[in-house]
Amino acid sequence: MAQTDEDWLRRSYAVAQAARDRGDRPFGAVVVAGGAVLAEAGSEQGATGGGTLAHSEMVALRRLHELAVSRETLAGATIYSSGEPCAMCAAAIFYSGIGRVVYGLRAEAIAAARNAQSHTAGLGLSCRAVLAAAAAPVAVIGPLLEDEGALPHKGYWRPGAA
């Protein structure tokens, strides 16, 4: 039986929970092509010490690069992201050549969970808006299964935390 978008998205939620469990931010990404996982990663912002560029999508994309996955394979791949990719990650997804994005929590829900303030909210560009400006089409599906996607965030963010 082939896995569905919802099944793969749930896997990204499990990766997000694993990231949280090790002391990193609760985000996960899984890249799939032809029914097989090419790469997956949780955020490495936190205990892992990956820094500001260590969003789960960026870590997964670095792993794809290290594995030298072909552009042809990436064009048919989907990245499943536990949360709506930020503008940086959305642009990196485009430049990686991945053809499709499926995400769980919308950016507004993530900002609310984080109690984001104007100085911590980030760029106000949705994943869909960034990818709509891309030179080649990238399909965007989401938000999906937001109640499930909110679980790794429950109790993680302190009031006023970025």
Side-chain angles (χ1 to χ4, degrees):
M1 176 194 283
Q3 286 196 283
T4 67
D5 285 340
E6 290 176 347
D7 293 332
W8 290 118
L9 189 57
R10 285 183 176 109
R11 183 162 173 163
S12 79
Y13 293 161
V15 172
Q17 183 62 53
R20 178 189 173 150
D21 291 347
R22 70 170 181 265
D24 290 308
R25 289 184 175 184
F27 296 99
V30 180
V31 182
V32 176
V37 174
L38 300 176
E40 66 182 19
S43 169
E44 293 184 358
Q45 291 182 285
T48 304
T52 58
L53 300 180
H55 293 197
S56 58
E57 299 91 344
M58 299 296 282
V59 176
L61 294 175
R62 274 197 311 272
R63 290 182 182 159
L64 291 171
H65 177 73
E66 291 165 2
L67 295 169
V69 177
S70 73
R71 295 288 288 182
E72 180 180 53
T73 299
L74 292 172
T78 299
I79 186 166
Y80 295 90
S81 182
S82 64
E84 182 175 355
C86 71
M88 171 184 71
C89 291
I93 290 165
F94 165 73
Y95 285 113
S96 76
I98 291 175
R100 190 166 173 261
V101 176
V102 177
Y103 70 88
L105 279 177
R106 70 186 79 224
E108 296 83 6
I110 295 166
R114 289 177 52 220
N115 191 30
Q117 308 298 307
S118 60
H119 66 285
T120 63
L123 295 173
L125 288 171
S126 72
C127 170
R128 192 170 267 107
V130 171
L131 293 173
V138 177
V140 179
I141 299 166
L144 297 173
L145 306 173
E146 286 191 283
D147 289 342
E148 292 177 47
L151 294 176
H153 295 271
K154 242 184 185 16
Y156 176 82
W157 303 99
R158 299 178 315 277

